[in-house]
Amino acid sequence: MMISASAVLAVPVGLAAVGAVLGRDLLRRRVRRPRRILLAVAACVAVLLPANVYLACTHHTGWFSAEPLVSLATVLALSGLGFLVSLDRIDRTRVPRPRRVLAVGAHPDDVELGCGATLAKLVDSGHEVRALVLSNTRRGGDGGARPEEVSDAGRLLRLAGVEVLSFPDTRLGAHESDLVRAIERVLDRFNPDIVLTHSGHDQHQDHRAVHLATLRAGRRHSSILCYESPSATPEFRPSMFVDVEDHLQVKVAAVAAHRDQRGKPYMAAEQVQGLAMFRGAQAKIRHAEGYEPVRFLGGPVDRW
Ligand SMILES: [Zn+2]
């Protein structure tokens, strides 16, 4: 019995559909514009899968058969998808000298909002990146779910580890000495080359408390950079920028992993993208994350 071309071609089209559904997170992490790829796969599958299945199941005896045309369209569409993915693939060139990077945040989602794209870029460049979250935000949302969401976001960014502590939300400033000791413990254990933390130019009292505690705990560390929060004041004036063009959609996905906070305006993809565009305009590129350096010891800044 002869197997028709349509029966053979239905298999990779079906696999593309299954791959797009199961591998959505991987796609978000590996390509710049995952939505464009997913839409292209959906369009191909919606048209070509039923066409190939129909032709494979019917027997044509007339002078005209649509099978060669559908087969050609299928091969071209699958090749086009492969080309689109390769065109959009995020650069993952490793640096010769990897560093250790620690991002410190007061609450779940702070690190993703402030420096998520930079962290993903650093991971892709071969650096070891970890995050420390001081509060699991029992008052600001579902205290049981948010640490889990931090882990989901950490997995998307491909962080080497995320530690969530349970200092009381909104009252971090009342535990200054304990905060300093907790951060010191992580700094001693991990010994990061670069520490990222909140800026002092922030309206949120917890963010300011973590900024001060990180500066005290990291007093012997050579590189400390302050990232931006949605509650940053107009005094937040970054003088160091990281090009996050390739990793902006990874950041959007990591922010969206905080399902408990969905609905807050600053969690919306448009706002995350808009801020990156604004900081990008300041840095004369398309998309950037901005930092206020406390001090920075490094080589070519963007590659760190
Ligand atoms: Zn916060």
Side-chain angles (χ1 to χ4, degrees), residues 16 32 36 52 64 69 98 120 136 145 148 158 177 179 188 192 200 216 219 247 255 258 268 286 292:
R32 280 192 296 271
R36 188 170 85 152
N52 278 293
F64 176 76
L69 281 176
N136 58 15
E148 207 174 282
R158 298 282 192 270
S177 301
L179 273 184
D188 289 345
R216 276 182 60 191
R219 58 198 174 276
H247 295 83
V255 169
H258 293 276
R286 267 171 61 87
E292 289 178 332

Side-chain angles (χ1 to χ4, degrees), residues 19-75:
V21 172
L22 297 181
R24 267 178 308 175
D25 281 353
L26 188 65
L27 201 64
R28 285 193 190 109
R29 191 64 187 83
R30 294 287 162 81
V31 299
R32 280 192 296 271
R33 286 165 292 186
R35 195 176 146 77
R36 188 170 85 152
I37 309 278
L38 286 170
L39 284 173
V41 171
C44 287
V45 171
V47 175
L48 296 172
L49 191 58
N52 278 293
V53 170
Y54 172 76
L55 289 169
C57 296
T58 52
H59 185 60
H60 301 280
T61 50
W63 60 273
F64 176 76
S65 169
E67 191 167 33
L69 281 176
V70 172
S71 298
L72 180 65
T74 306
V75 170

Side-chain angles (χ1 to χ4, degrees), residues 210-285:
V210 170
H211 167 77
L212 291 173
T214 309
L215 259 54
R216 276 182 60 191
R219 58 198 174 276
R220 285 188 282 273
H221 285 260
S222 301
S223 296
I224 300 181
L225 301 174
C226 300
Y227 59 75
E228 183 171 15
S229 293
S231 51
T233 64
E235 286 72 39
F236 180 85
R237 293 200 185 94
S239 58
M240 179 175 164
F241 297 89
V242 175
D243 182 346
V244 296
E245 179 67 23
D246 279 7
H247 295 83
L248 185 55
Q249 292 312 311
V250 179
K251 172 176 182 167
V252 168
V255 169
H258 293 276
R259 296 171 290 279
D260 185 56
Q261 299 296 297
R262 195 181 293 156
K264 292 192 174 173
Y266 57 81
M267 302 295 282
E270 295 77 20
Q271 286 226 12
V272 173
Q273 289 161 347
L275 181 61
M277 204 176 276
F278 173 60
R279 294 302 176 201
Q282 289 183 313
K284 314 302 174 197
I285 54 175

Side-chain angles (χ1 to χ4, degrees), residues 105-111 113 137 146 169 172 198 202 204 206-207 227 229-231 266:
H107 313 111
D109 76 25
D110 282 342
V111 159
L113 283 163
T137 316
R146 294 199 71 186
D169 176 34
L172 296 189
H198 288 282
D202 198 304
H204 199 301
D206 283 352
H207 296 175
Y227 59 75
S229 293
S231 51
Y266 57 81

